Amino acid sequence: MSEHQNHRKVRIGVQLQPQHAEWSDLRRAVVAAEEAGVDVAFNWDHFYPLYGEPEGKHLECWTVLAAWAEITSRVEIGALVTCNSYRNPELLADMSRTVDQISDGRLILGIGAGWFEKDYDEYGYEFGTAGSRLADLAQALPRIEKRLGRLYPAPTRKIPVLIGGGGEKKTLRMVAKHADIWHSFGDADVVERKVAILDEWCATEGRDPAQIERSVGVSGDPAATGPRLHELGVRLFTVGLGGPDYDLGQLRDWVAWRDEVNA
């Protein structure tokens, strides 16, 4: 199955989690990550920290992305991932187009169904069920695509859509239908299973699997986990870093590994 992705170069992402940090920390971190050679800088779309002190410092996703668009010049930027429930799909399309314009075509629209109940409760969104949130996402994706086609000025490019999640009956079918990038969480055995199912959904939807870049969250030594994931066709490897310090040491190891593999 890995032959689908052989034409792609390895890319390294960083998820700079906007928790326990001031804006100055996030600003410094994204500039340093770009200088270190990463390909993509992600944040996430939550209103409270996911780790550590639950009432700790936290900044909003899309306003941070707009600022990152202005203070970086090379890296792609995006949310890993935007929660579909928090914004009307047409508004999200317009926000995406605007950040695409500010960044001169460097936005990735990462999106998922949402899961963090505290966000919903505190901000007045209806939590529903996993099924209802997935159904909402399925309805939102074509609305986003339609609105992106109607906005003026238009996006600078076809904005890549990243869908995060591994649900085998619904999420992976949405990936096959709508995504340019699929982001998975899990070890190589999990990824291997999901990749096979994604290929089946691509066949059902009449989509060439080679059109979908495979992405996974990683940590630790790239030599230990990178080669097997690479064999499975993963080409975007993203290291998650929490604030306020954003230690880029491990990230630099992955950038060096990328350069070896791509040489």
Side-chain angles (χ1 to χ4, degrees):
M1 282 167 286
S2 60
E3 73 274 5
H4 294 319
Q5 303 294 320
N6 281 343
H7 66 291
R8 295 184 188 273
K9 295 277 196 186
V10 167
R11 302 201 296 160
I12 301 300
V14 62
Q15 184 191 52
L16 299 170
Q17 300 158 357
Q19 59 177 358
H20 310 303
E22 306 276 358
W23 164 242
S24 58
D25 302 317
L26 269 170
R27 186 189 198 286
R28 189 167 54 246
V30 78
V31 170
E34 182 167 64
E35 288 173 354
V38 302
D39 299 289
V40 189
F42 293 109
N43 60 8
W44 68 28
D45 188 21
H46 294 290
F47 305 124
Y48 292 90
L50 298 187
Y51 315 121
E53 168 52 53
E55 300 293 328
K57 293 174 182 174
H58 204 286
L59 293 173
E60 193 277 326
C61 170
W62 276 89
T63 36
V64 166
L65 289 177
W68 280 3
E70 190 63 31
I71 60 176
T72 59
S73 59
R74 179 189 57 78
V75 290
E76 290 191 282
I77 57 175
L80 190 65
V81 288
T82 303
C83 175
N84 174 64
S85 310
Y86 301 161
R87 298 162 196 85
N88 162 284
E90 286 74 17
L91 172 63
L92 182 58
D94 203 342
M95 291 165 63
S96 302
R97 180 278 309 255
T98 301
V99 175
D100 166 82
Q101 288 272 343
I102 296 167
S103 67
D104 195 23
R106 293 183 290 118
L107 178 77
I108 293 170
L109 175 52
I111 194 165
W115 63 273
F116 189 44
E117 192 167 3
K118 179 173 180 172
D119 282 349
Y120 286 79
D121 292 346
E122 292 278 356
Y123 277 61
Y125 297 108
E126 186 180 332
F127 189 57
T129 65
S132 70
R133 293 191 300 277
L134 281 165
D136 288 345
L137 178 60
Q139 185 193 53
L141 287 162
R143 286 171 60 183
I144 290 167
E145 290 168 3
K146 186 176 179 184
R147 180 60 52 178
L148 284 169
R150 294 175 61 183
L151 291 167
Y152 182 68
T156 65
R157 63 172 178 168
K158 195 270 181 203
I159 295 175
V161 172
L162 176 154
I163 295 177
E168 297 174 5
K169 292 187 172 68
K170 294 177 180 175
T171 304
L172 290 178
R173 185 168 196 172
M174 280 185 246
V175 171
K177 202 167 183 174
H178 298 282
D180 302 286
I181 308 168
W182 166 59
H183 183 78
S184 175
F185 315 88
D187 62 18
D189 291 340
V190 171
V191 172
E192 184 172 28
R193 174 182 166 81
K194 305 293 185 187
V195 159
I197 293 165
L198 177 57
D199 285 353
E200 290 169 13
W201 280 125
C202 284
T204 301
E205 293 291 342
R207 184 95 187 273
D208 178 358
Q211 294 178 336
I212 303 169
E213 184 177 21
R214 294 169 191 166
S215 164
V216 74
V218 292
S219 61
D221 178 6
T225 55
R228 170 104 194 275
L229 289 167
H230 188 267
E231 281 175 20
L232 294 172
V234 175
R235 291 294 180 269
L236 177 54
F237 299 79
T238 297
V239 177
L241 300 177
D245 299 328
Y246 299 109
D247 178 357
L248 303 188
Q250 189 183 118
L251 187 65
R252 295 179 205 279
D253 295 341
W254 283 91
V255 169
W257 177 78
R258 173 199 69 193
D259 293 344
E260 287 171 25
V261 174
N262 287 344

